[in-house]
């Protein structure tokens, strides 16, 4: 019997994403689990302080489109079907929590840079996902 049946792999679409995906795919195979691939696009207004008096919807649409295209490329490369790929907009920690609950996942896999000192105090997405998750969370060390 498999411990994990459905795994949410949350990636940030940086050059380090393949490190997370390769390990996640291997873990998925070991558990014969279904993988869901997710990326959260932060709202443009939030990223820029929200005080800019201009319409940023076109920029948000471009970011969303680029994220979907990159996620589709990773999905194809790692054998994750299109209907198991999710792009959403919001704060990464809370969106990953919502997705994990809505999708009924057993495990969330995220990458972690292993920050220390002041960076650790300020927190990270991996730390935010861990605190508040209702399922297991695996933070994979990114080199």
């Amino acid at each position: 019997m498999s411990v994990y049946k459905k795994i949410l792999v949350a990636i940030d679409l940086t050059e380090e994403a393949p490190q997370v995906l390769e390990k996640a795919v291997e873990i998925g195979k070991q558990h014969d689990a279904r993988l869901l691939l997710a990326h959260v696009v932060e709202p443009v207004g939030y990223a820029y302080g929200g005080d800019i008096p201009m319409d940023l919807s076109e920029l948000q649409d471009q970011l969303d489109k680029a994220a979907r295209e990159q996620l589709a490329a990773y999905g194809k490369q790692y054998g994750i079907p299109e209907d198991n790929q999710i792009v959403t907009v919001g704060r990464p920690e809370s969106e990953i929590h919502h997705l994990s609950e809505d999708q009924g996942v057993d495990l969330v896999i995220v990458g972690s840079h292993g920050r220390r000192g002041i960076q650790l105090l300020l927190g990270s997405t991996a730390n935010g996902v861990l605190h508040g998750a209702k399922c297991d969370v695996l933070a994979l060390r990114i080199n």
Side-chain angles (χ1 to χ4, degrees):
M1 183 173 142
S2 172
V3 174
Y4 301 115
K5 297 192 182 312
K6 194 185 277 190
I7 300 172
L8 176 66
V9 184
I11 59 172
D12 62 6
L13 302 182
T14 64
E15 64 275 357
E16 296 144 342
Q19 290 180 53
V20 175
L21 281 162
E22 287 167 14
K23 289 182 181 179
V25 167
E26 196 57 41
I27 291 166
K29 286 178 184 174
Q30 291 171 359
H31 290 273
D32 194 29
R34 179 175 164 216
L35 293 183
L36 301 174
L37 184 56
H39 174 71
V40 181
V41 178
E42 289 196 56
V44 175
Y46 176 78
Y48 291 100
D51 295 331
I52 300 173
M54 63 175 70
D55 182 9
L56 298 173
S57 60
E58 186 174 329
L59 177 58
Q60 189 73 56
D61 291 344
Q62 289 173 352
L63 291 171
D64 186 65
K65 182 179 183 233
R68 289 180 190 284
E69 289 171 358
Q70 184 62 56
L71 211 65
Y74 281 137
K76 186 174 183 180
Q77 181 178 352
Y78 291 95
I80 300 170
E82 188 176 339
D83 57 341
N84 288 5
Q85 301 169 22
I86 304 164
V87 174
T88 186
V89 177
R91 289 192 46 93
E93 302 88 349
S94 59
E95 289 300 316
I96 293 167
H97 290 153
H98 291 305
L99 285 172
S100 66
E101 290 177 41
D102 291 347
Q103 298 291 327
V105 302
D106 309 297
L107 175 67
V108 174
I109 296 178
V110 294
S112 174
H113 290 90
R115 293 179 169 87
R116 293 190 170 107
I118 191 70
Q119 290 178 325
L120 181 62
L121 292 174
L122 295 174
S124 68
T125 299
N127 189 42
V129 171
L130 177 62
H131 293 79
K134 294 196 166 99
C135 65
D136 290 348
V137 176
L138 176 60
L140 299 174
R141 170 103 32 192
I142 295 174
N143 300 326

